[in-house]
Amino acid sequence: MLEEGTLSMELIDGKEIAEKVLEECRRDIAHLAESGIKPGLAVILVGDNAASRTYVNAKDRKCRELGIHSVKLELDAAVSQEELIATIEECNRDDEIDGILVQMPLPEHIDESKVVEAILPSKDVDGFHPVNVAKMAMEDASGFVPCTPLGCQRLLTESGVEIEGANVVILGRSMIVGKSLALLLMQRAEGANATVTVAHSRTKNLSKITRRADILVAAIGRPRFVKAEDVKDGAVVIDVGINRIDDPEAKRGYRLVGDVDFDAVAPKTKAITPVPGGVGVMTIAMLMANTVKSARLRRAGD
Ligand code: GUN
């Protein structure tokens, strides 16, 4: 429970904002259906990582709910890089597939960059292909922006958080989240124009840097890493972490916690995202939005 003096803290409701994004998708899907177009997404899962399987199933379910053609391809953990790339190339050729997503991480023997580069940039709804990364860096809106950064930005804009001119500190430098979000929020565009600092495991005086943040984004994959003393009073905190913590009393034997020590940090903030129910639900919603965008660009000539 939050204590007195915390009443001004806003819980950023990812579910509600994701629902708004999904409603826009439904409207666009209905519009495409008038021209006989049904967006299609292929999701490729390699091996049987439990968390990856959960994410892939959630993506498949959401596609079906919205009326997006969903193809779930499951490959053995021992699949060769060549076979995986051959599967991607089949999806590249299939006109009913607008988006291709290969769930990360991949087994050690597979080179993730080679796999990402095999995806047609025009079907790369994850936004990981070098062509799409370059477009984001060059502020060319015709490419795809990775779903989690896009979701973080939308959470902020929908919550009325001023991003322009804000000191944004991002903890984590992965391509999937940290580095991409930095590129996105420093763009000369609406919902951007931030002053961005990217901190990581080698950063010195980390706490001093995070305490300067008007907007702090935690994306390091370490449970409850961000403590109250790392956060400025009145900051906005976006928690990208989804960490499984063993809990014999929980239904599945584990609980999800973020990269932020929520109970300690929340009372100091102006607004904060919960885990679950924050960034995670937005990531799936933005994937649906990117798939619909691809169908519009590829097949409706929008
Ligand atoms: N693994 C964790 N996040 C993601 C994501 O956004 N896309 C893919 N393909 N794999 C992931």
Side-chain angles (χ1 to χ4, degrees):
M1 280 298 287
L2 299 171
E3 289 158 17
E4 245 183 274
T6 65
L7 294 176
S8 61
M9 189 274 290
E10 181 200 346
L11 194 62
I12 299 178
D13 186 343
K15 283 188 209 157
E16 188 183 315
I17 299 169
E19 195 43 51
K20 187 170 176 186
V21 173
L22 294 172
E23 202 42 52
E24 293 164 7
C25 291
R26 286 187 193 99
R27 192 195 56 212
D28 289 349
I29 290 166
H31 186 68
L32 285 165
E34 287 169 15
S35 316
I37 298 165
K38 182 172 184 166
L41 175 68
V43 176
I44 304 174
L45 173 66
V46 182
D48 53 10
N49 177 295
S52 290
R53 185 172 294 279
T54 305
Y55 299 143
V56 164
N57 288 342
K59 289 164 186 175
D60 180 51
R61 217 175 314 122
K62 192 55 77 184
C63 280
R64 288 166 198 278
E65 256 175 59
L66 290 181
I68 292 176
H69 170 56
S70 172
V71 181
K72 192 166 72 170
L73 299 164
E74 301 193 19
L75 304 178
D76 194 86
V79 72
S80 70
Q81 187 169 302
E82 291 68 31
E83 283 171 286
L84 173 55
I85 289 177
T87 304
I88 292 169
E89 284 169 349
E90 250 175 70
C91 295
N92 283 343
R93 287 189 294 272
D94 185 340
D95 197 45
E96 293 191 347
I97 298 294
D98 299 288
I100 303 168
L101 179 147
V102 181
Q103 187 66 32
M104 304 296 176
L106 290 171
E108 291 258 313
H109 67 280
I110 294 176
D111 181 341
E112 287 187 355
S113 339
K114 290 276 189 313
V115 169
V116 167
E117 283 167 31
I119 300 171
L120 266 183
S122 60
K123 294 191 178 189
D124 169 40
V125 285
D126 249 334
F128 296 167
H129 190 285
V131 166
N132 286 316
V133 176
K135 282 188 174 179
M136 187 166 51
M138 297 168 80
E139 308 189 9
D140 172 347
S142 73
F144 291 105
V145 174
C147 305
T148 301
L150 211 46
C152 291
Q153 185 187 40
R154 188 76 188 255
L155 284 172
L156 291 167
T157 55
E158 290 287 340
S159 306
V161 176
E162 178 79 9
I163 302 174
E164 180 151 332
N167 281 325
V168 175
V169 177
I170 300 170
L171 269 176
R173 54 178 157 177
S174 70
M175 275 311 296
I176 295 185
V177 187
K179 209 180 288 178
S180 302
L181 183 61
L183 284 174
L184 185 62
L185 294 185
M186 72 169 83
Q187 286 189 343
R188 275 160 277 225
E190 230 177 283
N193 283 310
T195 304
V196 181
T197 305
V198 180
H200 47 78
S201 55
R202 305 286 175 96
T203 299
K204 290 191 180 127
N205 300 321
L206 191 63
S207 195
K208 196 170 158 204
I209 290 170
T210 55
R211 277 201 306 269
R212 286 209 297 259
D214 302 314
I215 300 170
L216 178 63
V217 182
I220 36 165
R222 293 172 66 174
R224 301 193 189 105
F225 180 83
V226 176
K227 304 293 183 194
E229 61 267 28
D230 303 322
V231 181
K232 177 170 81 173
D233 277 329
V236 173
V237 175
I238 303 290
D239 191 350
V240 181
I242 304 178
N243 305 289
R244 290 183 175 202
I245 298 280
D246 288 339
D247 181 355
E249 294 193 356
K251 203 166 76 186
R252 295 185 178 82
Y254 66 85
R255 222 153 29 92
L256 297 180
V257 301
D259 289 351
V260 176
D261 185 353
F262 184 91
D263 292 343
V265 171
K268 291 187 80 175
T269 64
K270 182 166 169 213
I272 185 167
T273 60
V275 177
V279 175
V281 279
M282 285 303 289
T283 297
I284 298 192
M286 300 325 289
L287 174 65
M288 300 299 118
N290 272 354
T291 303
V292 172
K293 172 179 171 177
S294 177
R296 285 201 344 246
L297 291 171
R298 290 184 58 253
R299 294 199 269 166
D302 276 8

